């Protein structure tokens, strides 16, 4: 089974709808991240969390919110989706100190019509 | 703030040949990590190789090696004996070692095509 899972894998929604993307991990890592990937822009950080009580805004947090329900779960919400939030969304985890790399989930393709 | 630049949006290479992907970065820190991630059409982000800035020796992982030039802030990836499975997007990334700043900063990526 995958260490970092994301649901759904693909989602099509309409402008103005609320949508939640979920991430779960079995790696036991404290740190979790949400990134957004757009063509030609690479991955940009939306939010990150170092533990259940520590949540921080990233580079592009406007229009998004997050919830860290447990060490293993980190959800990203779009309160009122808009078309320019159409993108590929990745969840990632890391351990610190220890492994320096981040481990990514399979991504969620979100389309907002 | 740190930045990562991948100036070549696309490259192509013949199967079995060698290709070098370039990456430059900007930071005022002396200790940090650099990574190359691969994203095949499956869209999964896969770590290819990593380099710790305090290590002078260039990292190597099988057919993948880096040329890390700290003073020049350059971190290129060399792929030897290119295979069809190497075709993917490649992202260079930077990570600080300072506590509370462990998030990754990515370049915009480069698409590698491998021709048979």
């Amino acid at each position: 089974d995958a260490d970092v899972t994301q649901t759904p894998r693909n989602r099509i929604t309409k402008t103005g709808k609320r949508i939640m993307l979920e991430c779960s991990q079995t790696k036991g890592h404290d740190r979790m991240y949400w990134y957004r990937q757009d063509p030609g822009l690479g991955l940009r950080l939306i939010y990150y969390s170092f533990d259940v009580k520590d949540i921080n805004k990233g580079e592009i947090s406007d229009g998004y919110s997050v919830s860290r329900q447990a060490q293993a779960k980190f959800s990203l919400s779009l309160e009122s989706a808009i078309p320019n939030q159409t993108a590929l969304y990745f969840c990632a985890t890391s351990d610190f100190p220890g492994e320096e790399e981040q481990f990514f989930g399979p991504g969620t393709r979100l389309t907002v019509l | 703030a740190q930045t990562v630049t991948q100036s070549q949006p696309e490259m192509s290479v013949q199967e079995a040949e060698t290709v070098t992907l370039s990456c430059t970065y900007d930071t005022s820190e002396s200790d940090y990590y650099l990574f190359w991630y691969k994203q095949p059409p499956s869209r999964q982000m896969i770590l290819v190789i990593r380099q710790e800035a305090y290590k002078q020796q260039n990292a190597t992982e099988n057919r993948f090696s880096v040329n890390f030039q700290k003073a020049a802030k350059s971190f290129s990836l060399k792929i030897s004996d290119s295979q069809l499975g190497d075709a993917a997007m490649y992202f260079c990334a930077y990570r600080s070692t300072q506590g509370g700043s462990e998030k990754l900063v990515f370049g915009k990526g480069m698409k590698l095509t491998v021709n048979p």
Side-chain angles (χ1 to χ4, degrees):
Chain A
D1 289 340
D3 295 321
V4 185
T5 57
Q6 292 183 235
T7 55
R9 294 293 311 277
N10 298 280
R11 180 72 181 268
I12 300 174
T13 191
K14 295 182 178 180
T15 297
K17 293 292 187 181
R18 184 180 188 276
I19 186 167
M20 179 181 288
L21 309 182
E22 298 184 336
C23 176
S24 295
Q25 53 113 346
T26 59
K27 299 189 73 66
H29 289 167
D30 286 329
R31 286 155 164 71
M32 299 187 73
Y33 310 81
W34 275 105
Y35 293 91
R36 166 180 172 159
Q37 182 181 6
D38 297 277
L41 295 179
L43 281 75
R44 293 178 293 166
L45 184 64
I46 305 172
Y47 270 95
Y48 60 105
S49 171
F50 287 164
D51 64 42
V52 175
K53 296 181 180 180
D54 182 14
I55 294 178
N56 305 278
K57 292 183 177 180
E59 180 185 352
I60 52 165
S61 59
D62 288 348
Y64 302 95
S65 63
V66 292
S67 173
R68 185 81 183 267
Q69 301 95 325
Q71 185 204 37
K73 296 185 181 296
F74 192 36
S75 300
L76 176 71
S77 294
L78 287 67
E79 296 300 325
S80 180
I82 56 177
N84 77 358
Q85 291 177 313
T86 293
L88 184 57
Y89 290 85
F90 284 100
C91 175
T93 75
S94 70
D95 192 19
F96 185 87
E99 298 163 335
E100 295 81 15
E101 69 175 283
Q102 291 188 7
F103 297 84
F104 285 81
T108 294
R109 172 75 66 188
L110 176 65
T111 302
V112 183
L113 301 177
Chain B
Q2 296 84 15
T3 59
V4 176
T5 301
Q6 293 178 253
S7 58
Q8 301 159 299
E10 293 191 41
M11 294 185 73
S12 63
V13 63
Q14 291 296 126
E15 194 175 6
E17 297 292 311
T18 295
V19 64
T20 299
L21 286 58
S22 64
C23 173
T24 58
Y25 58 94
D26 188 29
T27 184
S28 60
E29 298 174 342
S30 59
D31 195 17
Y32 45 87
Y33 294 97
L34 295 165
F35 305 88
W36 279 99
Y37 279 88
K38 168 184 177 181
Q39 186 181 43
S42 67
R43 79 192 189 198
Q44 179 72 50
M45 294 291 288
I46 302 166
L47 179 67
V48 175
I49 199 166
R50 71 182 182 198
Q51 175 78 41
E52 297 162 77
Y54 67 87
K55 290 187 176 180
Q56 293 186 347
Q57 186 173 6
N58 289 325
T60 300
E61 289 287 342
N62 301 313
R63 298 183 294 107
F64 300 87
S65 62
V66 299
N67 183 6
F68 173 49
Q69 301 290 328
K70 190 173 183 179
K73 297 180 182 176
S74 171
F75 182 60
S76 61
L77 175 69
K78 185 172 79 172
I79 305 175
S80 303
D81 185 25
S82 297
Q83 301 176 359
L84 295 177
D86 295 332
M89 287 290 296
Y90 285 82
F91 293 93
C92 180
Y94 172 102
R95 205 207 83 174
S96 172
T97 60
Q98 293 184 6
S101 300
E102 298 91 3
K103 53 190 179 292
L104 287 172
V105 177
F106 285 87
K108 294 182 178 181
M110 192 225 67
K111 182 180 180 180
L112 179 66
T113 300
V114 181
N115 300 310

